[in-house]
Amino acid sequence: MPALASKALRPTLIAPLVRGTRGHAVAVDPPYLPPTPSPNSSQARPRYVDGDVRHDWRRSEIQKIFDAPLMETIYRAATVHRMHQDASRIQLCTLMNIKTGGCTEDCKYCSQSSSYKTPTKASRLIDIEPVLKAAREAKENGSTRFCMGAAWRDLAGKKSGFEKILKMVSEVRGMGMEVCTTLGMLSPDQARRLKEAGLSAYNHNLDTSREFYPEVITSRTYDDRLATIEAVRDAGISVCSGGILGLGEQDEDRVGLIHEISRLPKHPESFPVNTLVPIEGTPLEKNDPVGVHTVLRTIATARIVLPQTIIRLAAGRHTFSETEQAMAFMAGANAIFTGERMLTTPCSGWDEDKAMLGRWGLRGQRSFEDSESVSTTPMMTKEQQALHGVSY
């Protein structure tokens, strides 16, 4: 150590010495910088800094970010967030279940699977008009993305239902809203037709790491999910793909999910972070709730690794306090689901969410296709603004 005293210690030298002391600012490793190539090297290797969009992340790099002291990781993520996006904007999304239950998949977390006896009852695909009514209500309340979910494995044998959904997509898009669907696995032709109808984004979560995935789902492979993501991306539709925390996975699996997403040819437009809402009758009904610190670590790590992606604080958000949600926004989350319900789980209401965002100085994000002024995006009533002392 005396020999080192005359030199400035780099964080990479002292981090191993204090790795066990979480919260010590010095313990944060700097961003990965590949070694400078020698003068005789025929190919120079890139040097990366925070905020760079990369597709060559090593899993060990992401694990190091995830394991770093939490407050330092959140600060780092908040900095990256501001390099690419307006951190004061939170997109409000509303999700509607257009076809409930009866799904032939065996996802152990899902009450809509026909494999389990749950309170969720199977129903047919609903008519178009109730969907349009719900979309109009969502827009009036400030939501700028409207998502529709159908509990299907795929669209095989559902020709008339698919035609009805194409009509729903076209009508909602015509309202000036972003429109997203989640309908199970898609073929390239089905993805193309959704694009032609005006679909903005398609949700198809990877759920967890490739290694842990078989512990949760056996009716569809990890590569099946990646094939649908590829079909969606090739059709020119934005990809929405993330995961669920609390399935019984370990930190390594949370890192594995982010690593898998980071190495896609193009990062998803959005990355939903769900926390398990245990439902009676499912195999995971007795799982312990995931700690908020784990949610924050996952969000902050994803923000650093996927700097241009929208990170959606999704299912389970209603279990977090307002302060915990604010920390999630600081860590890089910039979208929430709001409204009456999220498929089969509870959801915070529009008025509650708009008041919360107003208290923290946050505002709604308008639809990418919407030409209206940002200043007209409704966030709080005049009465609420007076009550909380804010204005727009």
Side-chain angles (χ1 to χ4, degrees):
M1 185 62 88
L4 295 173
S6 61
K7 300 181 179 180
L9 292 179
R10 294 179 55 191
T12 47
L13 291 175
I14 62 176
L17 303 178
V18 294
R19 189 168 301 280
T21 53
R22 283 195 179 276
H24 197 294
V26 184
V28 179
D29 289 329
Y32 168 66
L33 298 177
T36 303
S38 65
N40 298 324
S41 174
S42 60
Q43 183 177 3
R45 296 181 64 188
R47 296 178 66 86
Y48 298 110
V49 295
D50 278 356
D52 285 351
V53 178
R54 298 174 48 188
H55 300 270
D56 62 346
W57 284 93
R58 298 181 301 181
R59 191 159 172 168
S60 59
E61 295 177 72
I62 301 175
Q63 188 72 57
K64 185 177 292 187
I65 295 170
F66 191 95
D67 291 340
L70 180 56
M71 293 303 291
E72 295 297 331
T73 302
I74 290 175
Y75 175 78
R76 182 175 170 187
T79 303
V80 170
H81 191 182
R82 286 155 177 77
M83 293 178 183
H84 294 275
Q85 303 181 49
D86 182 348
S88 70
R89 298 287 185 187
I90 305 294
Q91 186 182 50
L92 302 185
C93 319
T94 295
L95 174 60
M96 183 178 186
N97 203 342
I98 60 173
K99 193 279 170 190
T100 305
C103 182
T104 57
E105 299 279 19
D106 65 356
C107 309
K108 292 182 179 178
Y109 53 80
C110 187
S111 68
Q112 302 197 77
S113 171
S114 59
S115 300
Y116 318 120
K117 294 182 179 180
T118 71
T120 301
K121 304 301 180 184
S123 66
R124 300 173 65 86
L125 181 68
I126 66 176
D127 291 332
I128 295 176
E129 187 51 41
V131 174
L132 302 186
K133 180 181 178 181
R136 285 191 288 267
E137 181 184 14
K139 182 174 182 178
E140 289 169 0
N141 279 283
S143 292
T144 55
R145 173 175 286 204
F146 189 75
C147 308
M148 297 174 283
W152 286 328
R153 168 181 167 79
D154 53 37
L155 291 168
K158 304 175 180 68
K159 183 177 180 179
S160 62
F162 187 44
E163 293 297 329
K164 185 184 289 188
I165 289 173
L166 292 174
K167 179 66 172 177
M168 294 175 185
V169 169
S170 178
E171 293 288 336
V172 175
R173 179 62 177 262
M175 297 178 189
M177 300 183 78
E178 296 179 26
V179 56
C180 176
T181 59
T182 178
L183 312 170
M185 292 185 287
L186 291 183
S187 68
D189 183 64
Q190 290 162 347
R192 177 187 59 78
R193 294 196 64 197
L194 284 166
K195 172 65 175 179
E196 291 172 352
L199 191 70
S200 308
Y202 193 83
N203 170 256
H204 204 63
N205 291 333
L206 291 182
D207 287 346
T208 187
S209 70
R210 181 181 289 272
E211 296 82 6
F212 190 70
Y213 181 87
E215 300 297 320
V216 183
I217 304 159
T218 62
S219 55
R220 152 181 13 174
T221 69
Y222 210 72
D223 287 327
D224 285 338
R225 291 182 180 259
L226 288 170
T228 290
I229 290 173
E230 181 179 10
V232 168
R233 185 176 59 245
D234 289 349
I237 300 170
S238 294
V239 172
C240 173
S241 186
I244 306 173
L245 307 181
L247 302 176
E249 79 285 353
Q250 302 298 314
D251 286 349
E252 291 77 10
D253 298 304
R254 296 153 191 153
V255 168
L257 168 65
I258 297 172
H259 180 248
E260 192 80 41
I261 291 289
S262 76
R263 297 184 70 85
L264 292 174
K266 183 178 180 181
H267 290 168
E269 177 258 355
S270 62
F271 179 83
V273 177
N274 300 275
T275 55
L276 178 69
V277 179
I279 298 176
E280 180 183 358
T282 63
L284 304 185
E285 65 174 315
K286 296 187 183 301
N287 276 30
D288 294 329
V290 65
V292 67
H293 62 280
T294 297
V295 178
L296 294 175
R297 282 188 184 281
T298 304
I299 291 171
T301 302
R303 170 52 66 218
I304 294 168
V305 176
L306 310 170
Q308 294 181 331
T309 295
I310 292 174
I311 298 180
R312 302 188 184 280
L313 191 55
R317 180 175 67 89
H318 69 284
T319 65
F320 302 142
S321 70
E322 180 172 317
T323 303
E324 289 168 343
Q325 293 180 62
M327 283 294 292
F329 300 142
M330 178 61 73
N334 57 339
I336 57 175
F337 284 96
T338 184
E340 297 177 351
R341 288 187 68 80
M342 271 196 67
L343 296 181
T344 60
T345 61
C347 185
S348 301
W350 287 293
D351 289 344
E352 179 183 352
D353 283 334
K354 288 185 285 187
M356 174 188 70
L357 295 181
R359 285 191 290 272
W360 293 94
L362 302 172
R363 294 185 291 171
Q365 181 186 90
R366 65 183 177 90
S367 298
F368 298 154
E369 295 83 20
D370 197 341
S371 60
E372 65 180 336
S373 169
V374 171
S375 63
T376 68
T377 302
M379 288 304 306
M380 301 176 69
T381 65
K382 291 182 178 180
E383 292 77 12
Q384 289 171 328
Q385 291 181 26
L387 176 63
H388 299 291
V390 299
S391 60
Y392 295 100

